[in-house]
Amino acid sequence: MKILIKNGQVIDPANNVDEKLDVLVADGKIAKLAKPGSISANDAEVIDASGKLVVPGLIDMHVHLREPGFEYKETIETGCAAAHAGGFTSVCCMPNTNPVNDSRSVTEFILAQARNAAASIYPIGAITKGSKGEELAEMAELHAAGCPAVSDDGKPVMSAAMMRRAMEYSKIFDMLVISHCEDSSLSGKGVMNEGIVSTELGLRGIPRAAEEVMTARDLLLAELTGARLHIAHVSTAGSVRLVRDAKSRGVKVTAETCPHYFSLTEEAVRGYNTMAKMNPPLRTAEDVAAIKQGLKDGVLDVIATDHAPHSADEKSGEFDYAPFGIVGLETVLGLTLKLVDEGALSLAEAIRKFTANPASILKMAKGSLAVGSDADITIIDRNLEWTVKASDFKSKSKNTPFDGWKLKGKAIQTMVGGKL
Ligand SMILES: [Zn+2]
Ligand SMILES: [Zn+2]
């Protein structure tokens, strides 16, 4: 089985490639890259990628697939279909399912459910049993079952001593520790960013310090232990500054942000719009500017979605009671290309944050078009203008604040291991 992708602009940041090339795929692997017209493969199926971008299959290192336990929101199958539609070939799913992915049996269940899914799944294991913050999960077991990282995402690990021990153990297995940075004594019952808008709307606020205090703590613990730390969903200027400073001191830290933190501000909450309710909350224009700068200068290594499906019933409730989070897999590429069009980020750097960077942070053999790699390839029409229509999402849930947005650029073909 051979496929020849012809005349595309190949952007492969891991190998510093950005030129017009033909790509030959054979037996599920990248077989050859060469100048257009120079590969003769009469037996190959041909895909004409003229005028299109050909990039390594995109990786989303932060999604919630909701299975097991919350299949009415999303299943592994529907979540992977959404990933595939958005151009993603690999996704990492967070462990806050029911039961929590804190053991080999849950990890094995997820991997078994994903066997025929439209994207490859990398389960993230829990840091503590049940993500309750009381007792460490069996990290050795989770590592052996195939988890590249641990996180209690959805909740912080409030005990600094527990986080320190988790980081110490993570080093034995060279696992990444992903931190949901939130001091819950500061965020309390807050539902949006603390500031003028929360005061005007009469909603309880979450100060930026709730995120920054925990970011600072975990950076110090990473420095103390030498563990590999990844900061999830950075949303404030202060967190960007803290990560920048830690990196300059040689702390082994990487960080991600999400499309909503560079596309929207707290103003989106006006009208008590529950589609703008997420955790951490949308912040201010000043924070958005700092996030864009952090993406540009590499302080923020990764763009992840924090894809968080919730049912229409749940999101249509009162603002105070609606759950936090939005879906993101089918809009993130368009929103990121908008950033590129604004000049905030180069195209190659944007692709790197979805490919080479998450792959190297997670030590995954993905995110590259090197000969011999898995043929995970995304073909992007950079000029396709389209309108976000939530009702058309492959995701089971439609909770997005971007419904009706006009975007330019979309994944038109997603190949996983040589299969379209
Ligand atoms: Zn989180
Ligand atoms: Zn999350």
Side-chain angles (χ1 to χ4, degrees):
M1 179 61 181
K2 288 184 183 171
I3 300 170
L4 182 60
I5 304 169
K6 292 184 76 163
N7 297 317
Q9 182 71 21
V10 174
I11 302 181
D12 180 13
N15 298 297
N16 291 314
V17 173
D18 188 349
E19 60 181 301
K20 199 176 266 190
L21 292 170
D22 287 355
V23 181
L24 181 67
V25 170
D27 302 323
K29 303 279 181 189
I30 307 285
K32 194 173 184 183
L33 291 98
K35 294 278 175 220
S38 65
I39 301 175
S40 58
N42 297 329
D43 50 342
E45 180 188 330
V46 174
I47 296 173
D48 181 9
S50 302
K52 311 290 190 292
L53 306 178
V54 176
V55 307
L58 309 182
I59 301 165
D60 188 346
M61 66 180 288
H62 190 151
V63 305
H64 297 269
L65 294 182
R66 307 303 191 198
E67 184 180 357
F70 305 98
E71 290 84 353
Y72 68 97
K73 297 176 194 255
E74 192 83 285
T75 63
I76 288 166
E77 187 185 349
T78 60
C80 287
H84 192 270
F88 291 89
T89 55
S90 298
V91 297
C92 299
C93 57
M94 286 297 177
N96 61 339
T97 45
N98 184 19
V100 167
N101 181 20
D102 59 3
S103 69
R104 173 187 281 272
S105 61
V106 181
T107 304
E108 285 175 350
F109 169 82
I110 293 168
L111 291 172
Q113 290 296 97
R115 209 164 286 144
N116 297 313
S120 302
I121 299 283
Y122 292 81
I124 308 291
I127 293 174
T128 63
K129 287 186 182 161
S131 288
K132 291 191 173 110
E134 292 160 2
E135 211 183 326
L136 281 186
E138 290 294 340
M139 219 181 276
E141 207 181 273
L142 291 166
H143 179 252
C147 296
V150 286
S151 180
D152 273 354
D153 185 54
K155 293 178 186 170
V157 176
M158 277 301 288
S159 157
M162 183 68 69
M163 192 55 143
R164 176 192 181 172
R165 281 211 291 141
M167 286 189 189
E168 282 167 348
Y169 272 108
S170 75
K171 284 177 66 187
I172 299 171
F173 312 104
D174 195 22
M175 283 173 101
L176 181 71
V177 176
I178 303 175
S179 179
H180 166 113
C181 291
E182 174 187 358
D183 184 314
S184 50
S185 69
L186 285 169
S187 55
K189 291 190 170 141
V191 292
M192 70 169 294
N193 186 48
E194 181 179 292
I196 294 164
V197 181
S198 67
T199 304
E200 283 179 15
L201 294 177
L203 292 171
R204 275 179 296 235
I206 300 173
R208 288 183 272 196
E211 175 177 325
E212 292 157 1
V213 161
M214 208 54 124
T215 304
R217 184 200 79 176
D218 285 350
L219 290 169
L220 291 169
L221 292 177
E223 193 164 16
L224 172 69
T225 59
R228 292 196 297 122
L229 172 68
H230 180 79
I231 308 288
H233 43 55
V234 169
S235 79
T236 75
S239 294
V240 175
R241 189 174 66 236
L242 286 162
V243 174
R244 179 179 284 116
D245 172 65
K247 281 189 168 185
S248 75
R249 283 184 293 112
V251 178
K252 286 185 211 158
V253 62
T254 53
E256 78 196 20
T257 192
C258 311
H260 29 289
Y261 302 122
F262 59 71
S263 304
L264 295 170
T265 68
E266 59 183 357
E267 293 291 333
V269 176
R270 288 192 192 277
Y272 303 93
N273 177 13
T274 59
M275 296 304 180
K277 182 177 177 182
M278 50 271 279
N279 187 20
L282 297 172
R283 307 287 186 179
T284 66
E286 182 196 337
D287 296 294
V288 170
I291 297 284
K292 288 181 184 177
Q293 186 59 42
L295 283 168
K296 189 174 189 131
D297 61 25
V299 170
L300 301 174
D301 307 84
V302 167
I303 297 172
T305 62
D306 199 1
H307 179 82
H310 294 294
S311 73
D313 273 359
E314 291 169 311
K315 272 292 197 184
S316 65
E318 224 177 295
F319 195 89
D320 270 333
Y321 303 109
F324 292 102
I326 58 167
V327 291
L329 285 164
E330 294 169 79
T331 46
V332 61
L333 181 59
L335 291 165
T336 303
L337 292 173
K338 188 167 180 288
L339 213 54
V340 172
D341 285 335
E342 288 167 7
L345 196 61
S346 76
L347 181 57
E349 277 307 305
I351 299 300
R352 181 186 292 275
K353 291 180 198 295
F354 288 112
T355 57
N357 285 359
S360 89
I361 290 166
L362 290 155
K363 302 189 185 268
M364 290 158 66
K366 296 282 185 185
S368 153
L369 295 178
V371 170
S373 317
D374 292 339
D376 287 5
I377 300 172
T378 302
I379 301 177
I380 298 167
D381 185 340
R382 185 69 188 84
N383 299 310
L384 183 70
E385 296 187 30
W386 60 290
T387 304
V388 178
K389 203 173 162 204
S391 57
D392 287 349
F393 283 169
K394 301 282 185 206
S395 174
K396 216 173 208 184
S397 294
K398 319 294 175 192
N399 49 313
T400 177
F402 302 112
D403 201 20
W405 278 42
K406 293 195 186 323
L407 297 174
K408 194 174 149 206
K410 198 174 201 289
I412 52 167
Q413 270 178 312
T414 307
M415 185 187 287
V416 183
K419 290 197 194 93
L420 285 167

